[in-house]
Structure formats: C-alpha cells, structure tokens
Amino acid sequence: MWSELQTDKEVQFSIRNATLNDVEDIMSINRISLPENYPYYFFQEHVVEYARAFFVAEVKGEVVGYIMPRIESGFSVIRSFPNFVKKGHVVSIAVLPSYRGMGIGGNLLDYSLSHMKSDYGAQEVYLEVRVSNDVAIRLYEKKGFKKVRTLKHYYMDGEDAFVMAREL
Ligand SMILES: CC(C)(COP(=O)(O)OP(=O)(O)OC[C@H]1O[C@@H](n2cnc3c(N)ncnc32)[C@H](O)[C@@H]1OP(=O)(O)O)[C@@H](O)C(=O)NCCC(=O)NCCS
C-alpha cells in the first residue's frame, strides 16, 4: 500500500507499508525521538509479523516517521472482564522533529488502526504513553483514545504511564 498526501505546510508525504529495508531508518528515528529503544531483531520481527499494519511515512524518498504495531489476543482493555478479544497494540510511533505538527503522525495512526481491523480482525487498540507526553496524549485523544488506567513506574526512569484505548 502506498499513497501520496499533502501536509497543511505543503509538504508532500507518502505512507506505505514498512519493509525490512526500512529497519535501519526506523531505528534511527526511534533513537532520536524516544528513550524507549529496541534491538534490531525486535523491529525486524514486528515488520515480518505485522507488516500489513506497520507503516512508514516518506518525504522525497526519505523515511521520516513510523508506527510499529503488534496484534495480541487477550482480555479486553476496554470491556468488563471476562471479554476475550483480538486487540491491536501501538508499540511505538515517532516522527522526525523537523516533520512534526504537519499531520504525519495522525495519518500513520489512521492507516495502522484501519489495517489492524481490516487485515487482522482486531476489535480494539491500546497503547502506553508517558503521563507527561502532552503532545502524544492530545494526538491520541483527537483519534478517539481514552485513558483507561495508570501504570505506576512503568518506564525505566520511574515515570508512570497512561494506558489509552479505543474500539476499532
Ligand atoms: C507524537 C508524534 C508522533 C505526533 O506526530 P506528528 O506528526 O507531530 O502529529 P500530527 O502532526 O499528526 O499532530 C496530530 C495532533 O497531535 C497534536 N500535536 C502535534 N504536534 C503538536 C505540538 N507541537 N504541540 C501540541 N500538540 C501537537 C495535536 O493535537 C495535533 O492535532 P492538530 O494538528 O489538529 O492540533 C510526534 O510528536 C513525535 O514523534 N513525538 C516524539 C515521540 C513520541 O512521543 N511518540 C509517542 C510515544 S507514546
């Protein structure tokens, strides 16, 4: 899948499925953007396992953003127990600093969520976000996510996480 889009700042970007050739670029965006980093094989496995919901954004052929998903089966994060569901998990999402605030992150999220549902049959989606990450929380709320619980000291540096989720 590949489609051409235009940001409100006239930057043309395209969204397409990630391939194994993108892993180096994805790792560098991850290291620039987030304290939570992962080894090469971790990205590789997710590209192979969840390719149809794993997307990158490109500007003039340069990869400038990614969304790394996972599909899981387990108890619902939203519905009362015992609801066993197929759920999407946004493991990591980031856009290079100079390309933020242009709609790229929002589009990556839209594409991945719709394919979590259409290609993997996921009924809901969830993610963890640092309680201090206002920009990301605002993006997720704009896309219909709600805070469902707080995980105390979830991050290595001790910060708490919000678990946010929505139906698909
Ligand atoms: C979170 C992130 C992926 C958003 O990507 P992005 O391309 O900037 O997002 P968009 O341009 O699509 O913005 C979507 C919404 O996010 C919010 N947002 C984005 N940039 C913002 C900013 N600088 N200030 C305030 N809100 C902002 C707004 O709600 C925006 O909607 P609006 O433009 O209608 O106001 C990006 O900021 C990023 O890579 N941050 C560092 C890594 C990170 O925190 N990842 C998430 C970890 S859980």
Side-chain angles (χ1 to χ4, degrees):
M1 149 152 268
W2 192 93
S3 51
E4 188 78 35
L5 297 143
Q6 178 112 2
T7 72
D8 43 15
K9 295 193 181 114
E10 309 305 310
V11 172
Q12 289 266 342
F13 67 95
S14 56
I15 303 267
R16 62 167 172 78
N17 291 96
T19 71
L20 288 175
N21 299 330
D22 298 316
V23 172
E24 303 276 347
D25 292 335
I26 292 167
M27 284 184 79
S28 100
I29 297 169
N30 170 260
R31 288 180 189 283
I32 290 165
S33 306
L34 287 161
E36 291 72 47
N37 308 131
Y38 312 93
Y40 186 90
Y41 79 84
F42 185 88
F43 290 97
Q44 208 180 19
E45 275 177 7
H46 284 72
V47 169
V48 172
E49 283 293 316
Y50 311 111
R52 285 171 284 149
F54 196 143
F55 288 91
V56 294
E58 266 185 346
V59 173
K60 298 195 189 84
E62 181 201 358
V63 174
V64 299
Y66 71 87
I67 182 164
M68 176 162 67
R70 185 159 57 219
I71 306 297
E72 303 162 0
S73 296
F75 292 115
S76 170
V77 181
I78 302 171
R79 299 171 204 155
S80 55
F81 185 84
N83 251 296
F84 207 77
V85 296
K86 202 155 200 198
K87 46 191 175 177
H89 184 183
V90 177
V91 176
S92 184
I93 179 172
V95 174
L96 284 175
S98 48
Y99 291 96
R100 290 177 191 164
M102 302 177 182
I104 293 175
N107 276 280
L108 284 166
L109 209 51
D110 291 341
Y111 275 81
S112 187
L113 268 56
S114 73
H115 286 270
M116 285 176 182
K117 182 173 182 165
S118 60
D119 292 48
Y120 296 94
Q123 297 153 269
E124 60 187 57
V125 56
Y126 76 100
L127 54 83
E128 299 88 2
V129 59
R130 286 175 177 270
V131 294
S132 63
N133 194 342
D134 300 335
V135 168
I137 290 167
R138 206 187 349 256
L139 166 59
Y140 302 141
E141 286 173 341
K142 198 178 124 184
K143 298 294 179 186
F145 284 79
K146 298 259 183 311
K147 293 170 185 164
V148 289
R149 73 175 66 91
T150 302
L151 301 175
K152 300 300 286 174
H153 313 309
Y154 176 80
Y155 292 98
M156 293 290 279
D157 61 6
E159 184 170 354
D160 297 351
F162 288 131
V163 174
M164 299 183 76
R166 53 158 274 191
E167 306 270 354
L168 286 175

